[in-house]
Amino acid sequence: MADLKDKVILVTGGTSGIGLACCQLFARSGAKVVAMSIQEDEGKALAEQMAAEGHECLFHLGDVSREEDVQAAVDMAVERFGRLDVAHANAGVLRSQKITDLTLEDFRLLMDVNLLGAIWVAKHAIPVMREHGGGVICFTTSVAADIGFPEHAVYCASKAALVALMRSLVTDHSPEGIRFVAVSPGTIDTPMLAASCEAWDRPKEEIYAEVAERIPVRRMGEPIDVARAVAFLVSDEADFISGAVLPLEGGTLALPPW
Ligand SMILES: NC(=O)c1ccc[n+]([C@@H]2O[C@H](COP(=O)([O-])OP(=O)(O)OC[C@H]3O[C@@H](n4cnc5c(N)ncnc54)[C@H](O)[C@@H]3O)[C@@H](O)[C@H]2O)c1
């Protein structure tokens, strides 16, 4: 297990799926965690569960697309734990549509949560990290940044934009002691993925079994697969890694195009 003892870590979208697994793993590894999301009940339940286990995890209710909410989450970490070592910009939404059916509302939601939300995290985490001698910012992008997902043009664009954002931040801020990394999940069994199956006229289990058959390792990913990778990337053991995108897709990107 990566050594995260006493690291102060903010995770956006920290109350479901990948973000939830990250908060739980980080807190159980000795980190002091702030989970941010728009899910109040889940957030309170997470904070209570971690406290009952003797770990530190606070919940901050907020919308990442609102700059003041992200700033408040960063402030909470600093006020309660004295600094911010790691920020994981993980909150995301998935909406499917052909570009010909796209509404401005769909576009704004995808970009505001998936891209602008991560921009606010970087904007407000960097000055605090700089003041305290450095830190790590991790982005959750997606293999959708590399693969043309059908009927997900704007989701794909929002995830590719995160990678470009990260690379530019590397050149601006790595010399200040701040590292930037990204995880790029493939198909991970989360509420987001389950919701995306609802539009299909078949049981989720059947779809999942077929998807698993097409993945070289013959299983879908679990949120903990991503959490373990993030734990390593944000730990001091990964100190020479900046600007890297780690695919977590069971080998899918290695498949030949036939
Ligand atoms: N599940 C997958 O297969 C998969 C694959 C690649 C990338 N991803 C990415 O991983 C990340 C996590 O996805 P997940 O599958 O765990 O989804 P999820 O729906 O289970 O969790 C998403 C989290 O984001 C939060 N969130 C949504 N809108 C928000 C907002 N405006 N402000 C603050 N929080 C908000 C939700 O409350 C929730 O906690 C997303 O960025 C997603 O795009 C997921």
Side-chain angles (χ1 to χ4, degrees), residues 13-16 37-44 59 61-62:
T15 52
S16 175
S37 87
I38 49 175
Q39 295 171 296
E40 189 164 20
D41 291 346
E42 289 83 347
K44 285 180 178 161
F59 172 62
L61 179 66

Side-chain angles (χ1 to χ4, degrees), residues 90-236:
N90 167 76
V93 287
L94 182 74
R95 292 289 179 279
S96 141
Q97 73 287 113
K98 282 214 168 112
I99 207 84
T100 43
D101 297 324
L102 182 75
T103 63
L104 188 57
E105 200 187 337
D106 287 335
F107 174 82
R108 288 223 165 108
L109 180 74
L110 284 161
M111 285 301 184
D112 283 359
V113 178
N114 296 0
L115 179 60
L116 186 58
I119 289 172
W120 294 144
V121 169
K123 176 177 172 181
H124 291 285
I126 288 169
V128 172
M129 291 175 173
R130 201 164 38 203
E131 199 183 316
H132 293 97
V136 189
I137 299 184
C138 179
F139 300 94
T140 304
T141 174
S142 167
V143 292
D146 305 297
I147 294 174
F149 276 23
E151 302 189 7
H152 282 85
V154 178
Y155 178 78
C156 291
S158 72
K159 291 298 181 179
L162 276 181
V163 177
L165 172 81
M166 177 190 69
R167 292 196 175 123
S168 182
L169 295 178
V170 166
T171 62
D172 284 343
H173 298 286
S174 279
E176 299 167 354
I178 302 170
R179 293 193 294 113
F180 299 88
V181 290
V183 283
S184 180
T187 317
I188 312 293
D189 185 1
T190 68
M192 176 188 279
L193 190 72
S196 75
C197 292
E198 279 164 17
W200 295 51
D201 178 17
R202 293 166 54 203
K204 185 187 92 172
E205 292 66 30
E206 209 178 290
I207 302 171
Y208 280 18
E210 260 177 40
V211 170
E213 261 312 292
R214 278 190 263 129
I215 298 172
V217 301
R218 296 290 184 267
R219 72 168 176 92
M220 295 199 339
E222 296 297 330
I224 190 70
D225 293 315
V226 182
R228 287 196 191 108
V230 176
F232 167 67
L233 287 172
V234 303
S235 73
D236 293 342

